[in-house]
Amino acid sequence: MKSLRRRVLLTALGTALSACASRPAPPVQHYTLGMSRADFRDYGGAKSDPCDAEQRWLNDELTAVNGLLARFVNGTEQLSNPRALEHAQQVELLKEAQASLPKVLDVHEGNLRGLARCGFKDKGAFPEISRRGQELLKEARARLAESDAVLAAAALRTAQEKWKEETPQRESTARGTWCTANPKVGEATVFYARQGLAGGTTWHFCDGARVEQAAGAEPIFVEPEDLNRRERRKVQPPRYLEAAANFPAEEIDRPPDGSAPKSASPAP
């Protein structure tokens, strides 16, 4: 009787240990990035051993993630070239990846680490899957490490392009605000000043004159066009240069430079 009980207990214990040693496979997760998709399992997160997985499934899952990462790396290789035709599309892909890809990279790294402990790690395509996976993890993380700077630069370019497109309207509004319908030649009234993207500044006067100053150079006077002899005698360049020099610096229309806008009120 005691012998029978012992056998029953040992059988139950063996069954329990077997159940603990072999956990069910974690559920399949579906991930989409841009036009790419990959199905994978988070073995580490589920406290499951990838070595217990069906080898064909594990092969397919790791290969799918490798493929997605390869397409991401290749699909963002023109980020440093704003003139590339696909640059805007690649920026959007990077923005999407920044929000969702890090978790997938961590899971993939854990799965590859688990594969390295499996008895079949050197069989079939697994060696190449592991090698390529480690390579792609490094490349994808390097790309994500650049994302903050790349996205900030892209946002700045967009803001500067918008600023440039809206410049004529701002100039027209300023002219209508500060100039009379028939401005007198020689009055040297500045109605608008703008700093260009290259750093040079131009002061515009109601009578059509301008003062232009390239970055690091002295300002020069540009007289209005189509002046007759009598009007030309009224134009005194020093007055225009002085008016430009005295124009409030804070009122110069400047392009966005990526810095945070200054608060109108002092910080507490």
Side-chain angles (χ1 to χ4, degrees), residues 61-130:
E61 292 162 8
L62 296 177
T63 299
V65 177
N66 276 358
L68 180 142
L69 295 181
R71 289 188 290 276
F72 166 67
V73 171
N74 293 333
T76 52
E77 62 184 1
Q78 292 294 325
L79 287 172
S80 60
N81 180 15
R83 297 181 181 276
L85 293 177
E86 62 273 27
H87 185 264
Q89 180 181 348
Q90 294 196 3
V91 167
E92 290 303 312
L93 180 61
L94 180 65
K95 191 181 301 183
E96 182 183 348
Q98 187 185 46
S100 63
L101 189 58
K103 180 180 178 181
V104 176
L105 294 177
D106 290 342
V107 170
H108 194 49
E109 182 178 32
N111 289 344
L112 291 174
R113 195 162 48 238
L115 172 63
R117 299 191 298 268
C118 298
F120 53 79
K121 65 180 181 180
D122 296 323
K123 295 181 180 179
F126 284 117
E128 176 59 19
I129 290 173
S130 180

Side-chain angles (χ1 to χ4, degrees), residues 241-265:
L241 293 171
E242 182 181 4
N246 291 332
F247 190 80
E250 64 272 14
E251 293 184 16
I252 296 175
D253 186 11
R254 304 178 192 274
D257 61 2
S259 60
K262 296 180 180 179
S263 174
S265 57

Side-chain angles (χ1 to χ4, degrees), residues 158-170:
T158 299
Q160 289 176 340
E161 289 170 2
K162 184 174 185 293
W163 174 86
K164 188 175 181 179
E165 290 173 1
E166 295 174 350
T167 291
Q169 181 58 49
R170 291 193 301 274

